[in-house]
Amino acid sequence: MKVTRFFVFIVISILMIVALPCHAQNLNISEIGTFDFSTDRITDMARVGDYAYVIGGDYDYVLYYYDLSDLASPELLSETPIINAPNFSHVRGLRVFEERLFVIMYNYVILYDIENPVLPVELSRVYSVDYILGVEACSADLYVLASSILYHWDISNPDYPLLQHSLAQSDAWRFHLNDNFLYIWLGSANYSVYDVSNPESMAFVGTYSLSGTAYMARFFAHYVSVVDFSQLFIYDVSQPAQAEVICALPLGDDYFAPLDIFTKDGLLYLVFEQDYYYERRLAYQ
């Protein structure tokens, strides 16, 4: 995602629509604040409470830290240059776990200490042989999913990460860590599950299939939402071998093929293209 300006939105009114067994809300959204950056490209952001890390630049990246307590007047608190690798790797995203910030590059991840959030301190870097799809972290464990390999790093000493596992994992699209299970979406309605309750020995639980031709998978907690043609299904996968449909939402002809699905504060948001130029959003509770 690359844009030249970052916009802050707030919901000012909600129209409720019944879509059993869930409820859909059409959102009327208005801009209440805008702020520009010294760079002409914004790559990603990670919000933590009333604050946000924003990364911008093109090869020469800068990590910005903003106070968003007043959304109409965001305040820049610090700027931290990111020293890029010689191959000029592109930033793929930001993730925050506890007091660690992870900057995801093309084939490596930079670990930052943000105990003092205004002054992020680079601790170390971990590398992949292939491009990275995402990261998950829990306590002293860092999981990195690349296009063909699942890595597990021990970061109990974040200055010197220790590689614990390197497992071949083909056809992976995204993954999600919840409690002691690591879910890996393989596409074509298939997903694999690992038990990571014992970090020293990741246990393969199995590979399972959902019904239909599910795509656009998004995990949250122990649920996964998928689109199957003109319907949105939500599965409870807390028991991986017995995924249970808990909600089925007809999207209708006007809402075929959402552009994105994400969750925030107990709501599931669907973003659709409308008239090629605008996006329409629905929120499900």
Side-chain angles (χ1 to χ4, degrees):
M1 176 183 67
K2 292 189 176 180
V3 296
T4 56
R5 306 172 75 196
F6 178 73
F7 298 92
V8 183
F9 298 98
I10 189 170
V11 177
I12 61 173
S13 65
I14 299 176
L15 174 64
M16 297 300 296
I17 301 176
V18 175
L20 296 176
C22 300
H23 301 287
Q25 306 170 20
N26 271 311
L27 304 179
N28 295 321
I29 301 175
S30 66
E31 178 188 337
I32 63 169
T34 302
F35 51 101
D36 295 313
F37 295 84
S38 57
T39 174
D40 64 345
R41 292 178 182 270
I42 305 303
T43 303
D44 200 5
M45 72 168 291
R47 183 168 179 174
V48 184
D50 288 334
Y51 300 90
Y53 290 98
V54 183
I55 196 164
D58 193 0
Y59 299 123
D60 295 324
Y61 292 103
V62 177
L63 182 64
Y64 302 91
Y65 185 61
Y66 271 85
D67 182 343
L68 302 182
S69 55
D70 181 359
L71 291 175
S73 301
E75 179 185 0
L76 177 62
L77 300 180
S78 67
E79 301 180 28
T80 304
I82 294 178
I83 301 175
N84 205 344
N87 62 353
F88 298 107
S89 178
H90 285 287
V91 170
R92 297 181 62 85
L94 295 177
R95 295 295 302 275
V96 174
F97 299 98
E98 298 174 352
E99 294 182 350
R100 298 284 184 266
L101 173 71
F102 300 87
V103 178
I104 308 168
M105 307 298 285
Y106 179 83
N107 67 336
Y108 64 95
V109 179
I110 309 175
L111 284 69
Y112 283 89
D113 184 337
I114 53 173
E115 183 176 2
N116 181 352
V118 180
L119 297 173
V121 177
E122 180 177 334
L123 300 174
S124 57
R125 302 185 178 196
V126 297
Y127 291 85
S128 164
V129 298
D130 212 336
Y131 69 89
I132 293 173
L133 298 171
V135 303
E136 292 281 358
C138 179
S139 185
D141 299 290
L142 171 64
Y143 301 93
V144 177
L145 180 65
S147 61
S148 59
I149 299 176
L150 173 63
Y151 297 94
H152 169 215
W153 298 83
D154 180 346
I155 56 171
S156 54
N157 182 352
D159 293 317
Y160 300 97
L162 178 63
L163 180 62
Q164 298 285 76
H165 301 92
S166 177
L167 307 175
Q169 184 65 67
S170 61
D171 301 324
W173 287 82
R174 62 178 61 244
F175 76 144
H176 171 68
L177 178 65
N178 181 68
D179 292 333
N180 292 322
F181 290 109
L182 192 64
Y183 300 86
I184 302 177
W185 184 255
L186 304 176
S188 301
N190 297 314
Y191 64 99
S192 292
V193 181
Y194 287 87
D195 183 340
V196 294
S197 56
N198 181 359
E200 296 181 0
S201 178
M202 293 177 57
F204 178 66
V205 178
T207 297
Y208 308 99
S209 298
L210 303 178
S211 61
T213 55
Y215 64 101
M216 288 290 294
R218 297 293 186 271
F219 289 94
F220 50 101
H222 57 274
Y223 303 99
V224 60
S225 66
V226 295
V227 174
D228 186 352
F229 292 103
S230 60
Q231 293 192 85
L232 174 77
F233 292 93
I234 299 178
Y235 289 85
D236 183 337
V237 291
S238 56
Q239 299 296 324
Q242 298 175 335
E244 178 184 359
V245 177
I246 62 169
C247 192
L249 302 170
L251 300 178
D253 294 337
D254 293 337
Y255 305 129
F256 184 73
L259 299 175
D260 196 11
I261 302 173
F262 63 95
T263 59
K264 178 67 176 177
D265 298 332
L267 294 178
L268 179 70
Y269 292 85
L270 278 70
V271 182
F272 299 87
E273 185 178 58
Q274 182 171 307
D275 300 328
Y276 299 100
Y277 297 104
Y278 302 99
E279 291 183 351
R280 180 167 185 174
R281 297 191 178 203
L282 291 180
Y284 291 90
Q285 187 172 24

